[in-house]
Amino acid sequence: MQRTTMDLWVGLFVVMGVIALMILSLKVGNLNVYNPSQSYVISGNFENIGGLKVRAPVKSAGVVVGRVTDIQFSTQTYDAVVTMSMDSRFLFPKDTFASILTSGLLGEQYIGLAAGGDETMLKDGDKIMKTNSAMVLEELIGRFLFNKATEDDSL
């Protein structure tokens, strides 16, 4: 009788572990359920998107307001064109500033929106004109080393 009880607890523990791994993989893979019934599509050009992926969140003030639906390379401007599906409950002014930011321990990248002060709102098919590309660690290290070398030369 005790062996059966012990087997039951071990089985429950294994099932809970499998469920925890599934939830973790959904979180890491950004496969959360996000499907607003009404949305509008906007896009923006970025010089460098870093590790931004399709289905990455679009956040404003820490709140998820949309998702990245497509990333294309423009052969005319040599930029990345990022298409975002925005929840229609959240409207942003035309002079909204979009930046590619990093969060979390795993370095998840997302698009952060900072609302401007324009009275005209973005609508379906509009393009965000003010964008800030992702920070690339190699560029930052290169700038730091270059600045250090210039300081040493001036002394």
Side-chain angles (χ1 to χ4, degrees):
M1 190 69 159
Q2 284 201 345
R3 172 119 174 117
T4 307
T5 305
M6 180 72 95
D7 288 346
L8 178 68
W9 283 109
V10 170
L12 283 174
F13 182 75
V14 169
V15 168
M16 289 174 42
V18 169
I19 291 171
L21 284 174
M22 288 175 54
I23 291 171
L24 181 66
S25 64
L26 288 174
K27 273 292 213 192
V28 169
N30 229 355
L31 297 175
N32 301 352
V33 178
Y34 172 79
N35 192 11
S37 57
Q38 295 182 354
S39 63
Y40 61 99
V41 176
I42 58 174
S43 63
N45 287 21
F46 294 89
E47 287 181 15
N48 189 341
I49 61 168
L52 186 71
K53 296 177 181 152
V54 174
R55 290 191 313 265
V58 178
K59 296 180 179 180
S60 182
V63 177
V64 176
V65 295
R67 290 274 174 197
V68 173
T69 56
D70 192 26
I71 300 172
Q72 297 286 324
F73 180 73
S74 171
T75 55
Q76 296 167 344
T77 60
Y78 299 102
D79 286 342
V81 180
V82 177
T83 306
M84 298 162 264
S85 174
M86 306 293 294
D87 192 329
S88 61
R89 295 177 296 165
F90 309 110
L91 299 175
F92 288 91
K94 277 228 181 236
D95 60 346
T96 296
F97 199 87
S99 302
I100 297 177
L101 305 169
T102 305
S103 72
L105 292 173
L106 299 175
E108 175 193 27
Q109 290 198 313
Y110 65 96
I111 294 182
L113 297 180
D118 198 346
E119 293 180 9
T120 310
M121 297 295 172
L122 288 168
K123 57 183 184 287
D124 193 41
D126 280 351
K127 181 178 272 189
I128 295 178
M129 301 309 290
K130 299 176 180 178
T131 59
N132 191 14
S133 296
M135 291 227 178
V136 179
L137 186 61
E138 292 83 12
E139 286 181 22
L140 288 175
I141 292 172
R143 283 186 203 161
F144 175 75
L145 292 176
F146 181 75
N147 288 341
K148 268 299 195 200
T150 359
E151 286 177 8
D152 291 341
D153 288 343
S154 64
L155 292 179

